Every structure is written in C-alpha cells, then in structure tokens.
Amino acid sequence: VLPILQAVGYNTDLLPSMSSGTGNINELNNTDVFVRLSKLEHFYTLLYPQFGYIIPDALLVQLDKDNRQYKLTFIEVEAKKPKWEDYIEVKRGNYLKLSQDIEAYNEWKRCCLKLLLPVPTVDDFCFSVSFYGSIKKDFGEHFKFINV
C-alpha cells in the first residue's frame, strides 16, 4: 500500500515502514476502531509512535478547520485478557510517566515538522488517552473509556 499512497502524493513519512499484521482478533479490533476514528469530523491522521516502555495502538491527531489548533489522543484498543485490571493500571502509570517525559514532546516536535503543523512550547504540549473496549475505569480528567 505504501507505494500506492506515495504515488498519489500522500505523506507516508510517519507511517510504519512494513506492515506485519496477521489478521488476529486484536488487529481486527484495532482496525475497526481506526476506521471509526477516521470518520470523526476533525480527523487529520493516525500516527504510530513507540516510546520503549509504552507502545500505543495509535496517536489520533484531530485538526480544526483553520489548521491551526490540534488535539492529540493516544488510542488503546483493549480486549479482555487475564489480569486485565492490573494491565490497564500499568498502562495508566506509563501514560502518566509519558506525560512528564521530554521524549514524548520531542517525538511530537518531529511529527509537527513532517506534518507542517505548528510546534507547541513544551509547557503547552499535552495529550489525552482513550481506551476502547468493554472496561470502564475512572482514571481522571485526561483518560476516557469508550465502550465498543
């Protein structure tokens, strides 16, 4: 697909270089959520950053109609698994750690340059996290749980 996207002028710099999906249930669930996200009114793109201690399923970028303000939401698509409660709590801790990690800001800065978006100051950089699945928790203001 990458050559096709490149041929029609799509910026593929921020896409994963090689797809390695095998069509398992987790990948199908992720794809279903990603397709839904692509239909949001202010959808701009999905990115796939990795931070070592946390690898989000995606980073949703929503852009206002004037292309000046954007919202960043890390996406986690979760299916019930053993020790699910502990697993989700660890993810929460990792996202709280990420919110204080300068590497998250630096990665977003690199993305801004490739996407031609304004770079925020480090103090203005922020994001939220949305969990898609059947679990419901109260993790506070910047965490959202969406039933799918």
Side-chain angles (χ1 to χ4, degrees), residues 8-61:
V8 296
Y10 188 84
N11 180 355
T12 60
D13 291 344
L14 296 168
L15 293 176
S17 58
M18 257 326 247
S19 177
S20 59
T22 58
N24 68 36
I25 191 66
N26 185 55
E27 292 164 349
L28 294 175
N29 288 341
N30 287 8
T31 301
D32 180 54
V33 170
F34 297 166
V35 168
R36 291 181 196 192
L37 293 173
S38 72
K39 295 177 183 178
L40 292 174
E41 180 181 0
H42 296 290
F43 174 84
Y44 185 64
T45 193
L46 287 173
L47 304 173
Y48 305 94
Q50 298 182 12
F51 299 100
Y53 57 91
I54 189 156
I55 301 173
D57 289 322
L59 173 59
L60 169 65
V61 181

Side-chain angles (χ1 to χ4, degrees), residues 82-98:
K83 298 186 180 183
W84 201 12
E85 299 285 330
D86 295 337
Y87 178 78
I88 298 295
E89 290 288 340
V90 168
K91 283 209 173 194
R92 176 183 183 264
N94 284 339
Y95 276 111
L96 291 173
K97 178 180 175 181
L98 188 65

Side-chain angles (χ1 to χ4, degrees), residues 30-134:
N30 287 8
T31 301
D32 180 54
V33 170
F34 297 166
V35 168
R36 291 181 196 192
L37 293 173
S38 72
K39 295 177 183 178
L40 292 174
E41 180 181 0
H42 296 290
F43 174 84
Y44 185 64
T45 193
L46 287 173
L47 304 173
Y48 305 94
Q50 298 182 12
F51 299 100
Y53 57 91
I54 189 156
I55 301 173
D57 289 322
L59 173 59
L60 169 65
V61 181
Q62 293 174 282
L63 189 61
D64 74 1
K65 62 182 177 180
D66 299 323
N67 295 338
R68 290 189 297 159
Q69 292 187 340
Y70 47 81
K71 178 181 176 187
L72 306 176
T73 307
F74 284 104
I75 304 299
E76 292 290 344
V77 183
E78 300 299 340
K80 193 167 177 81
K81 57 186 81 176
K83 298 186 180 183
W84 201 12
E85 299 285 330
D86 295 337
Y87 178 78
I88 298 295
E89 290 288 340
V90 168
K91 283 209 173 194
R92 176 183 183 264
N94 284 339
Y95 276 111
L96 291 173
K97 178 180 175 181
L98 188 65
S99 72
Q100 302 299 312
D101 189 343
I102 191 66
E103 187 51 38
Y105 172 75
N106 289 336
E107 177 64 21
W108 178 243
K109 231 167 66 170
R110 286 188 288 274
C111 291
C112 284
L113 297 174
K114 290 180 180 180
L115 295 170
L116 305 176
L117 293 174
V119 178
T121 65
V122 70
D123 292 333
D124 289 337
F125 174 72
C126 62
F127 60 83
S128 61
V129 181
S130 290
F131 288 87
Y132 288 80
S134 60

